[in-house]
Every structure is written in C-alpha cells, then in structure tokens.
Amino acid sequence: MSYTENLSEFKRTMGELIEEAPELEQFAGFIHSAESTDVIDNKTKELMSLAIAVAVRCEHCILWHTDAALEAGASHEEVVDTLKIAVVMGGGPAMTYAVDAYETLRALEAERGE
C-alpha cells in the first residue's frame, strides 16, 4: 500500500471512529480551530506539527503532517530542516523517526511526481 493510500485509509477509519464515538468530534473541532491561520500560516503550523510528531514518535502523525506540509507548499529542504530541529529536541529516538519521516517525504514526493 502506498503512503497516500495508507493516509486515506487512516483518515477514513478515523472518520468512522468519530461517527461511532461522537464525543471525539469536540477534539476534532479543537484541532480545526487550533490549526486556523489567523496568526501563523498553515505551512509553518504543519512543519511545527511534523517536528513534534517526530519528537513524540507518532508514525501516523508523521505521515499526516508530512503530507499536510507538502500540501501547504513546504519544500523538500524545509521539511528536512524541520526534521533537524525535531532531532535536536528529541535526541536519538527522534533521529530514528526523522529517518521514517524522510522516507515518508520521499515516498509522497515520488507518488506526486515531484
């Protein structure tokens, strides 16, 4: 399964979970409002989220926010720079997840023909 297909499947399943547990909709609403671009632009927020995802070792978050950062116009170089900061903040464990995020970046770029 491609990274893009994996992300679509994850989003679909998350939607199903929220339908079955509507209490989670409030959290999803909070995410939506926190990610609004009133002060900090979307690309910057997605790069920040990616760095945090690497530092806290959340594989699905890495896929989600790498994709969202690319959609928001982040360049390859900006994503790689973000991964460096994530490793600074997360140390050795973050380094291993930065490698995963780098593989995700390359795969998503290849799937998009970038």
Side-chain angles (χ1 to χ4, degrees), residues 4-103:
T4 303
E5 291 168 337
N6 188 6
L7 181 59
S8 289
E9 176 67 17
F10 178 76
K11 287 180 178 182
R12 185 189 61 72
T13 304
M14 184 186 317
E16 290 174 2
L17 173 61
I18 290 171
E19 284 180 23
E20 192 166 325
E23 302 84 359
L24 296 175
E25 185 63 41
Q26 291 178 344
F27 182 70
F30 169 69
I31 292 169
H32 181 73
S33 66
E35 291 180 342
S36 70
T37 57
D38 297 337
V39 179
I40 299 173
D41 65 277
N42 186 48
K43 179 176 78 171
T44 301
K45 285 188 175 189
E46 290 301 339
L47 292 170
M48 291 168 58
S49 294
L50 175 58
I52 293 166
V54 169
V56 301
R57 306 182 235 9
C58 177
E59 293 177 22
H60 284 101
C61 302
I62 289 169
L63 176 56
W64 187 294
H65 293 293
T66 302
D67 180 70
L70 292 171
E71 285 292 319
S75 69
H76 179 93
E77 293 78 12
E78 288 170 322
V79 173
V80 170
D81 210 33
T82 296
L83 299 178
K84 292 188 294 187
I85 296 304
V87 172
V88 166
M89 298 306 293
M95 180 66 167
T96 65
Y97 282 83
V99 171
D100 292 343
Y102 183 68
E103 289 174 349

